[in-house]
Amino acid sequence: MKNKKAYHLPAYICCPRGLAKVCLLCAIGVVLLLPFKWGSAATTSSNRIDSIVNLAKSPVGALDVLVKEGEQFYRKGNYEEAYAYLGQALTLATQIDDPNRQISIMINLGQICYYLSDHKQSLEHFHRVLELGKDNLSESKMAHIYSSLSDTYLALGDYNRAYEFQLKALAIRETIQDQEGIAKSGYGFGSIFFEQKHYEQALQKYLQSLQTWKELNNQQWILTTLTAIGTTYGSMGKWEQALTYDMEALKLAETLQDETNMAYILHSIGSNYADMGVYDSAEENLRKALQITQNTGNLQFEANVLESLGNVLVKSGKPELAIDPLTQAFQIASGVDAKSDVANICRSLAQAHHITGNENKAYYYLMQHTALKDSLLTGEMIDRMNNLQNSYEIQKREKEVALLTSQNKVKQLSLYGAAACGLMLMFLLWMVRGRYKAEKDAKALLEEKNLEIEVQNQKLAESNADLEQFAYVASHDLKEPLRMITGYASLIKKRYSKVFDESGNEFMYFIADAALRMDRLLDGLLDYSRVNRKNLDAKWVNLNDVVKVVNNNLQMRIKQNNARLYIGNLPTIKANYTQMVQLFQNLVGNALKFSQNSLPEVIVDCHVENEECVFMVKDNGIGIADENKDRIFQVFQRLHTQTEYEGSGVGLSITRKIVERYGGKIWVESEVGKGSTFYFTLPKAMLNAPAEAEANTISAETSR
């Protein structure tokens, strides 16, 4: 289903006894305008709170009662009442100057604000806790606060800050060997990856987390993680697997009587049914989820359910009924400043208004969606997250090396002390030998750690260069407004071509042509970015058969150019069939494209040399100047205009990526006006046995 979203509980609210047993730890300095925040309910609470304060024998006694009452409301899910009581408790704790109680209440209020979708207020509480308790908080409590901040920033769509604080939490939890905390951070990373549509990475984190919870027999976290896994599989289009996890989670939620998770699960089930085209079941489950969540006060999730319900109504042919729930979702999400949700809802509203014929509103919401997405998903954001990961890994290695060095110093002092006490010469010799061995081991380990850091840096550098994130934008958010431009340009041309003068029609042609070229560029870039992400799925592939398939694919161009394609004796190798077709088709197609001879010829052959299999694709085309031989393998590097030779400038970049992925290299030898020869190598270890068929010729004539 479009715009499917993770409805995961934040990592800090689940404890071994479930949501009803949340560790009520506290919230911020001053409670502002509580009587006005929730209307008459707040007024009733205010009267009750005043009575408790007036009847108590001391401020400490009143504080104890208020905290106890607030905790009870929290366990029942009545967050507004809980906020009122704990807010007054915080005021009393401040008056009697009890910093420990203040910090405890601040954390609790931060969690309550998260549930009430008041995320900015939640951030104030948690940051205030860090400010006041930085010298008194335990390491585990500090990790808990960092994880809470990560969840809150994630709800606001600030992926950078979410990633940053979850890394801080993980670093502490690994230092103190808190296995449960490490699993919670893993779950938190899964949610961050999910929100950015990195579903495979999210699934990996969730499955690792689930394994830990099963080992610890933590039923509440098992339920939460099962729900997240089901949602992730649904987002990947694997609906049967999603429903399997969802049904298991729903059964466990009913056993635990966990209505909060039950609402999430029903939403996931409804979304999966919608993706499968079973709209009646989808609408039924979504309305059940909406009814439950309206009782919990989780505004952000309520907006998510309303959005999904609206999308189902659009898909089931009732777009006019979808406008109301989508508009409600937009108002709620805007009110809690959930930018990522607002962006998705704007796209759904644009689609609904477009189908119902209200083009002005469709255009308005589409522009809102595009503006918000541009601000949320940028290359700079991804680079910053990768840099944070890099910094974290380096710090982790430095701590390990520092610990080893410290241990060696302690050992050295012990040895020197023993020598000073008059140990025997034999013992001194043994001590020297031990010291030498320890230093040698330390040096070896230090070199090993440095090597690991270098490898990690290299991996992160490659990750920064990868276009995976941009591929998502290209295939979804960039292509969607592009399709809108193309569609409306076509509609304008169809309706108003007779009204336009010659210049106007020419302008419309330029718009349509530019949109088409942009679409081709995006497709090329998407293919380029997918090379490294695609599973190799290596099998034995006869390259003679591969080149025959390439010949069939390029048959029209071969006939048009009256070209001849000569195939040598190619081997059988272990590789991915699709990528091999893509590799040879790009090289052969390139040779045909840049032909200048009336009888173009392309030769494909190979030979084994120095433990490598060297392939060549030779043509008699226009050739390449020396200064351009490296440029042609770069993305979007074109040596000619579109009017001279068509293309996106991505094909040769893809060939280089494929060859390098298999451990080979690619280069070109050429002379202007006399043709080019592209060489690439593959490891000899990939060979099975050379095909024994004789060299054959495939041409326009023989293919007929």
Side-chain angles (χ1 to χ4, degrees):
M1 164 172 207
K2 262 188 174 183
N3 309 327
K4 185 172 289 184
K5 176 178 175 59
Y7 306 105
H8 310 317
L9 295 177
Y12 62 78
I13 63 173
C14 293
C15 68
R17 299 184 181 179
L19 295 176
K21 307 296 182 182
V22 176
C23 300
L24 296 172
L25 297 174
C26 339
I28 178 173
V30 180
V31 180
L32 301 175
L33 303 176
L34 284 176
F36 303 99
K37 189 165 186 177
W38 294 294
S40 59
T43 303
T44 303
S45 300
S46 179
N47 294 336
R48 170 67 176 153
I49 292 169
D50 289 342
S51 298
I52 292 173
V53 174
N54 293 331
L55 294 174
K57 295 181 180 180
S58 67
V60 174
L63 175 60
D64 292 338
V65 175
L66 289 171
V67 170
K68 183 178 180 181
E69 292 283 340
E71 290 177 355
Q72 290 178 352
F73 282 122
Y74 188 92
R75 292 190 183 98
K76 295 177 181 177
N78 191 337
Y79 304 123
E80 293 147 352
E81 293 283 353
Y83 193 97
Y85 278 82
L86 291 173
Q88 183 61 41
L90 179 60
T91 302
L92 289 177
T94 303
Q95 291 176 355
I96 64 178
D97 195 21
D98 187 341
N100 291 331
R101 296 293 290 272
Q102 289 179 54
I103 292 173
S104 177
I105 298 171
M106 288 179 201
I107 300 174
N108 188 33
L109 284 174
Q111 295 170 348
I112 292 172
C113 285
Y114 181 97
Y115 270 119
L116 292 172
S117 300
D118 190 353
H119 300 307
K120 290 186 177 180
Q121 188 68 33
S122 179
L123 290 177
E124 285 192 32
H125 292 317
F126 289 131
H127 280 296
R128 184 65 174 162
V129 169
L130 291 180
E131 181 182 344
L132 295 181
K134 58 185 177 181
D135 297 326
N136 299 319
L137 289 174
S138 65
E139 289 183 311
S140 60
K141 188 66 66 64
M142 186 69 75
H144 171 82
I145 299 301
Y146 286 147
S147 186
S148 303
L149 282 165
S150 174
D151 293 326
T152 310
Y153 277 117
L154 179 60
L156 287 169
D158 190 341
Y159 305 135
N160 279 334
R161 301 299 297 279
Y163 200 81
E164 175 185 353
F165 279 106
Q166 199 61 255
L167 279 176
K168 290 182 178 181
L170 177 61
I172 295 175
R173 288 163 169 170
E174 287 184 338
T175 300
I176 63 177
Q177 298 182 346
D178 178 6
Q179 294 303 314
E180 183 174 298
I182 293 171
K184 290 180 180 179
S185 287
Y187 177 92
F189 283 123
S191 298
I192 296 171
F193 287 132
F194 185 101
E195 290 295 334
Q196 297 178 90
K197 311 297 187 291
H198 295 294
Y199 299 127
E200 292 183 358
Q201 292 169 281
L203 186 61
Q204 180 184 9
K205 294 293 184 182
Y206 289 143
L207 290 173
Q208 290 174 353
S209 178
L210 180 62
Q211 182 178 356
T212 301
W213 301 130
K214 287 183 176 179
E215 292 172 357
L216 297 174
N217 194 28
N218 189 321
Q219 295 297 305
Q220 185 60 55
W221 267 104
I222 291 174
L223 169 59
T224 301
T225 312
L226 284 172
T227 305
I229 294 172
T231 303
T232 307
Y233 270 124
S235 300
M236 297 170 70
K238 300 179 180 180
W239 301 305
E240 292 185 0
Q241 291 167 286
L243 286 173
T244 298
Y245 278 94
D246 284 341
M247 293 304 180
E248 183 181 354
L250 185 61
K251 184 177 179 181
L252 182 56
E254 291 172 348
T255 301
L256 298 176
Q257 297 182 342
D258 185 344
E259 285 196 349
T260 301
N261 254 316
M262 200 177 300
Y264 295 154
I265 299 164
L266 287 169
H267 177 274
S268 182
I269 293 173
S271 299
N272 290 323
Y273 275 127
D275 287 330
M276 297 168 69
V278 187
Y279 298 123
D280 290 341
S281 297
E283 184 176 349
E284 178 185 355
N285 282 279
L286 289 173
R287 292 194 183 277
K288 288 180 181 178
L290 182 61
Q291 183 178 2
I292 293 174
T293 196
Q294 285 175 337
N295 295 329
T296 64
N298 189 333
L299 295 177
Q300 187 171 6
F301 179 59
E302 182 179 349
N304 300 146
V305 178
L306 285 166
E307 179 200 0
S308 298
L309 179 60
N311 287 332
V312 167
L313 292 171
V314 170
K315 286 189 173 184
S316 60
K318 296 177 281 189
E320 66 283 351
L321 298 180
I323 301 296
D324 184 55
L326 288 174
T327 303
Q328 291 182 48
F330 175 79
Q331 293 170 347
I332 294 173
S334 299
V336 299
D337 198 26
K339 293 183 177 64
S340 180
D341 292 344
V342 174
N344 290 333
I345 295 167
C346 282
R347 181 165 59 182
S348 299
L349 274 168
Q351 182 184 14
H353 281 299
H354 174 68
I355 295 174
T356 56
N358 193 336
E359 300 299 344
N360 289 334
K361 286 194 174 181
Y363 178 79
Y364 169 78
Y365 284 113
L366 182 62
M367 293 301 100
Q368 292 287 319
H369 163 74
T370 303
L372 284 168
K373 275 296 183 182
D374 286 344
S375 67
L376 290 172
L377 294 175
T378 64
E380 180 182 356
M381 180 182 295
I382 300 304
D383 288 343
R384 183 178 172 193
M385 286 178 56
N386 285 332
N387 290 336
L388 285 171
Q389 178 70 35
N390 189 12
S391 176
Y392 165 73
E393 293 293 341
I394 291 174
Q395 290 176 10
K396 182 178 177 181
R397 301 302 183 190
E398 287 176 347
K399 287 181 180 178
E400 293 176 358
V401 174
L403 178 61
L404 181 63
T405 303
S406 175
Q407 291 173 345
N408 285 334
K409 287 182 178 179
V410 172
K411 190 172 183 178
Q412 292 171 14
L413 290 174
S414 299
L415 293 174
Y416 289 141
C421 294
L423 288 176
M424 296 170 54
L425 178 61
M426 199 65 164
F427 182 77
L428 287 173
L429 291 173
W430 176 85
M431 179 196 68
V432 171
R433 178 180 178 277
R435 176 184 173 187
Y436 170 77
K437 185 177 183 300
E439 290 179 347
K440 183 178 179 181
D441 291 343
K443 182 179 180 181
L445 182 56
L446 183 60
E447 291 175 352
E448 179 184 350
K449 296 300 181 182
N450 287 335
L451 180 60
E452 289 179 8
I453 293 173
E454 290 178 7
V455 172
Q456 183 66 22
N457 286 341
Q458 179 63 30
K459 289 181 179 179
L460 290 171
E462 294 172 356
S463 177
N464 286 338
D466 201 343
L467 294 172
E468 180 179 354
Q469 179 63 23
F470 187 75
Y472 165 73
V473 178
S475 61
H476 293 81
D477 295 327
L478 287 181
K479 297 196 78 172
E480 185 166 330
L482 192 61
R483 284 193 294 270
M484 183 72 75
I485 292 171
T486 305
Y488 276 103
S490 176
L491 187 61
I492 291 172
K493 181 178 179 182
K494 182 178 179 181
R495 291 185 180 180
Y496 304 109
S497 60
K498 294 181 181 180
V499 179
F500 291 158
D501 58 12
E502 182 178 351
S503 296
N505 284 309
E506 185 180 12
F507 294 159
M508 291 307 303
Y509 168 78
F510 289 152
I511 292 173
D513 182 64
L516 179 61
R517 285 190 284 111
M518 183 65 179
D519 188 65
R520 290 174 179 170
L521 285 173
L522 293 177
D523 286 338
L525 186 57
L526 185 59
D527 289 339
Y528 176 79
S529 67
R530 282 174 173 167
V531 171
N532 279 346
R533 293 187 292 117
K534 182 178 178 63
N535 192 330
L536 285 177
D537 189 23
K539 297 180 180 179
W540 291 112
V541 179
N542 188 325
L543 294 182
N544 290 296
D545 295 337
V546 167
V547 178
K548 289 178 182 179
V549 170
V550 170
N551 168 72
N552 291 334
N553 293 343
L554 299 174
Q555 193 58 219
M556 181 176 295
R557 185 177 294 176
I558 291 174
K559 290 180 179 180
Q560 289 174 348
N561 294 341
N562 196 27
R564 297 177 66 84
L565 176 59
Y566 298 92
I567 305 176
N569 192 19
L570 303 182
T572 296
I573 66 172
K574 195 164 189 178
N576 179 271
Y577 176 83
T578 301
Q579 288 191 345
M580 289 300 102
V581 172
Q582 193 175 18
L583 172 61
F584 280 98
Q585 185 160 319
N586 274 325
L587 291 174
V588 174
N590 194 70
L592 293 171
K593 181 193 303 183
F594 295 103
S595 63
Q596 66 176 4
N597 199 299
S598 59
L599 292 174
E601 294 183 351
V602 181
I603 301 173
V604 181
D605 205 351
C606 73
H607 65 277
V608 177
E609 178 182 326
N610 298 329
E611 299 303 316
E612 289 184 324
C613 192
V614 182
F615 295 84
M616 79 166 188
V617 178
K618 179 179 178 63
D619 64 61
N620 59 348
I622 63 175
I624 303 169
D626 290 341
E627 63 269 20
N628 294 324
K629 289 180 180 178
D630 293 330
R631 285 183 55 204
I632 59 174
F633 293 105
Q634 299 175 12
V635 180
F636 296 140
Q637 290 296 318
R638 293 177 48 81
L639 307 182
H640 307 277
T641 64
Q642 284 283 349
T643 56
E644 293 176 307
Y645 297 97
E646 64 177 10
S648 62
V650 180
L652 289 178
S653 303
I654 292 175
T655 63
R656 183 178 67 176
K657 250 198 170 185
I658 293 174
V659 170
E660 290 178 351
R661 189 173 187 191
Y662 286 96
K665 58 183 179 179
I666 187 170
W667 70 96
V668 62
E669 295 180 3
S670 179
E671 185 176 349
V672 176
K674 294 186 178 181
S676 304
T677 304
F678 283 84
Y679 294 95
F680 68 90
T681 64
L682 293 177
K684 186 179 178 182
M686 295 175 61
L687 296 180
N688 180 16
E692 297 180 355
E694 295 182 356
N696 55 85
T697 301
I698 300 176
S699 65
E701 290 81 5
T702 59
S703 63
R704 294 191 187 101

